Amino acid sequence: MSDDILEGIFTKATAGKILIKDRKTLTIDYVPEKLPFRDEEARTIAQTLSIVLKGARPSNLLLFGKPGTGKTAVIKNIIKRLQKKAKELEIDVIVPFVNAKTANTAYKVLYEIAEEMGINKGEKKQQVYFTGLSMGEATDRILDFIQKKKKLHVILVIDEIDSLVDKNGDDILYNFTRANERMYEGGFISLIGISNSLTFKDKLDPRVRSSLSEEEMVFNPYTIVQLQKILSDRAKLAFNDYAISTAAINLCAAMAGKENGDARKAIDLLRVAAEIAERERASDVQEIHIRQAQEKIEKDTNYEVLRNSTTHTKIVLLAIMKSKNGNTGEVYETYSSLCKYSEHEPLTQRRMTQIVSELDQLGLVMTDVVSQGRYGRSQRIKIAFPSLTIREALKDDPILTTLAMVD
Ligand code: ADP
Ligand code: MG
């Protein structure tokens, strides 16, 4: 029997081995019980909140940090433990948790708070529903509910609070930070705001700012070595022993750590790589799968961003794609004529430049400044992803698709 045949038999035997033993541990929402490198943060927050167990109002708290630095995970763990303890001690604490980004509108935020507090199960005239209520009335109903319950202690967590303020300003926050002035019988509300943006505070009215940030904490990005530990812990939960090499884990950590020290990105890479390995019936997750995962994630995000961007942003991208030397003036000319073809009123050059810098921040275009000798310096703009992706993302729009095809 030839070596090839034997090799084939042995390969088949290992093919389709089960790599993942616990899939849920690789999902976005999974919070492990142990969160290494966040002991200090957890201790301080727990300390602040713990006075609720003595019936006193914890300070409002603002947590900042780039995405994937463990803010949500840390808070969720603490809340879970705090609620357990409060229950043991028979203290009336409720901790509504809303994510302002997924809730999307200020109204939905209020609605979800009301749901989590059980207000909507109560009397009809106290309920908070979408129709007919003004924002002020909805807030009032929530605050009335707390007041009527007398000794109710509320710790309201608003995750991704920056997205609420970006879209709806800080009126709701103003009302909540003022609410304690009208609580008479030992009830109160404390606010925990979590923000991915470090400059979030600048957008707040000074009164809201000072009251919301009675205490503050910054979560720093993880180092590559820290990510290695986080990932290898997670891999132990998620994979069978033989299913992933240390080299692959370290590569994952290096890739995710290089830019932002983002644990979410690291875990996403791990999950997508495992899915690729499974599909290929590989015997374990290898470095090549991590690299393929990286490419796939990048492509998917670019695609999503493109598909959901405004028509003008799409036309700007087409203009950059078509432009020969990529300087701003030429891109604007191309953009204007594409607008004409597609019967859109062109935006000003200034506004187009803003769109370009937004795209730059998203990593969809690259800009650099080139010297043009005695003509001074000018900016050069280039697309930072395959043009195939843009064509795919424009599929739903026949006019832009046609523009993308012609030279
Ligand atoms: P943020 O809210 O700061 O964007 P998350 O708390 O959502 O970040 O964390 C992102 C992902 O990384 C989650 O899956 C979380 O479980 C995981 N994670 C973050 N920090 C740690 C840590 N110290 N140990 C283990 N897993 C972590
Ligand atoms: Mg978060």
Side-chain angles (χ1 to χ4, degrees):
M1 211 183 270
S2 81
D3 273 349
D4 280 357
I5 296 176
L6 285 179
E7 174 66 20
I9 295 172
F10 292 146
T11 315
K12 262 218 188 93
T14 52
K17 259 208 288 196
I18 297 169
L19 302 182
I20 301 178
K21 70 175 176 201
D22 191 353
R23 212 166 280 275
K24 77 165 183 305
T25 61
L26 293 173
T27 57
I28 296 287
D29 293 332
Y30 178 77
V31 180
E33 238 155 69
K34 283 210 198 86
L35 298 166
F37 316 112
R38 288 297 178 243
D39 287 348
E40 195 58 41
E41 290 82 354
R43 192 177 312 128
T44 313
I45 297 168
Q47 202 96 51
T48 302
L49 299 184
S50 64
I51 70 166
V52 79
L53 299 173
K54 291 189 221 141
R57 189 187 83 86
S59 305
N60 294 334
L61 182 63
L62 204 48
L63 307 180
F64 295 98
K66 294 214 168 130
T69 51
K71 302 178 299 294
T72 304
V74 166
I75 278 291
K76 283 199 165 157
N77 268 358
I78 295 174
I79 290 174
K80 204 162 89 192
R81 296 283 294 277
L82 181 72
Q83 281 175 313
K84 192 162 158 245
K85 195 75 189 169
K87 203 165 169 196
E88 278 168 32
L89 299 168
E90 296 181 357
I91 297 171
D92 214 357
V93 179
I94 46 177
V95 192
F97 181 104
V98 282
N99 181 308
K101 191 160 175 192
T102 45
N104 199 26
T105 64
Y107 210 104
K108 190 86 194 298
V109 167
L110 292 172
Y111 170 77
E112 284 189 6
I113 294 170
E115 277 287 306
E116 293 238 339
M117 291 175 66
I119 296 178
N120 291 343
K121 289 199 212 81
E123 275 180 63
K124 188 107 197 133
K125 64 174 193 302
Q126 291 180 349
Q127 296 177 353
V128 177
Y129 281 107
F130 284 102
T131 45
L133 275 188
S134 75
M135 215 81 80
E137 281 168 317
T139 316
D140 277 347
R141 286 192 183 183
I142 293 170
L143 299 178
D144 283 348
F145 177 87
I146 304 172
Q147 201 175 351
K148 288 213 180 83
K149 284 266 178 174
K150 306 232 158 65
K151 291 222 169 65
L152 185 59
H153 306 331
V154 180
I155 300 176
L156 170 60
V157 186
I158 307 184
D159 200 357
E160 316 221 26
I161 194 171
D162 39 329
S163 129
L164 172 72
V165 174
D166 282 344
K167 272 180 267 170
N168 301 93
D170 57 5
D171 288 354
I172 296 191
L173 299 181
Y174 180 76
N175 290 332
F176 280 121
T177 52
R178 279 293 125 108
N180 292 306
E181 289 166 10
R182 52 190 261 194
M183 304 285 167
Y184 310 111
E185 320 233 16
F188 57 70
I189 178 164
S190 297
L191 221 71
I192 302 180
I194 306 176
S195 164
N196 281 334
S197 141
L198 302 172
T199 55
F200 157 75
K201 265 200 334 181
D202 305 342
K203 295 176 196 152
L204 298 174
D205 178 284
R207 286 170 301 180
V208 179
R209 190 188 310 153
S210 66
S211 134
L212 190 59
S213 61
E214 286 172 339
E215 279 187 44
E216 281 185 15
M217 182 181 289
V218 177
F219 281 57
N220 289 315
Y222 293 113
T223 64
I224 291 177
V225 176
Q226 289 175 332
L227 287 176
Q228 282 173 356
K229 163 81 176 145
I230 291 173
L231 283 179
S232 72
D233 282 4
R234 192 65 65 97
K236 282 191 195 101
L237 298 174
F239 296 104
N240 283 314
D241 286 346
Y242 49 78
I244 188 160
S245 67
T246 312
I249 290 179
N250 290 350
L251 180 63
C252 240
M255 281 180 164
K258 200 170 54 189
E259 285 162 34
N260 295 319
D262 179 340
R264 166 165 321 123
K265 202 166 156 198
I267 292 166
D268 279 348
L269 260 177
L270 203 58
R271 186 189 58 253
V272 176
E275 286 163 3
I276 293 173
E278 275 186 326
R279 211 167 311 130
E280 287 183 0
R281 297 174 161 265
S283 56
D284 59 353
V285 183
Q286 298 148 16
E287 292 176 59
I288 174 85
H289 303 127
I290 308 278
R291 291 189 203 281
Q292 287 168 349
Q294 166 86 340
E295 267 171 39
K296 180 173 184 327
I297 291 172
E298 234 166 57
K299 182 161 173 262
D300 291 354
T301 358
N302 287 346
Y303 176 78
E304 278 307 309
V305 172
L306 281 175
R307 212 170 51 94
N308 294 320
S309 54
T310 66
T311 306
H312 279 286
T313 303
K314 288 175 183 163
I315 301 177
V316 171
L317 278 164
L318 279 180
I320 299 169
M321 204 170 94
K322 287 171 179 300
S323 123
K324 297 204 170 52
N325 59 22
N327 77 41
T328 312
E330 195 216 347
V331 171
Y332 187 69
E333 257 173 47
T334 314
Y335 160 79
S336 305
S337 61
L338 290 175
C339 280
K340 210 169 98 198
Y341 282 122
S342 56
E343 301 189 336
H344 288 90
E345 186 67 27
L347 305 168
T348 60
Q349 179 159 348
R350 196 188 142 114
R351 180 65 193 117
M352 187 202 76
T353 313
Q354 274 171 0
I355 293 182
V356 170
S357 74
E358 283 159 26
L359 290 168
D360 192 5
Q361 276 176 13
L362 289 168
L364 290 177
V365 306
M366 292 180 284
T367 55
D368 51 21
V369 175
V370 285
S371 158
Q372 303 203 304
R374 62 199 176 92
Y375 300 109
R377 285 134 62 87
S378 83
Q379 198 186 35
R380 261 222 309 253
I381 315 162
K382 274 186 300 203
I383 298 280
F385 56 89
S387 49
L388 198 62
T389 312
I390 186 164
R391 297 215 166 90
E392 263 175 51
L394 296 181
K395 276 205 300 272
D396 297 340
D397 189 324
I399 295 175
L400 295 187
T401 300
T402 318
L403 289 182
M405 307 241 248
V406 294
D407 272 330

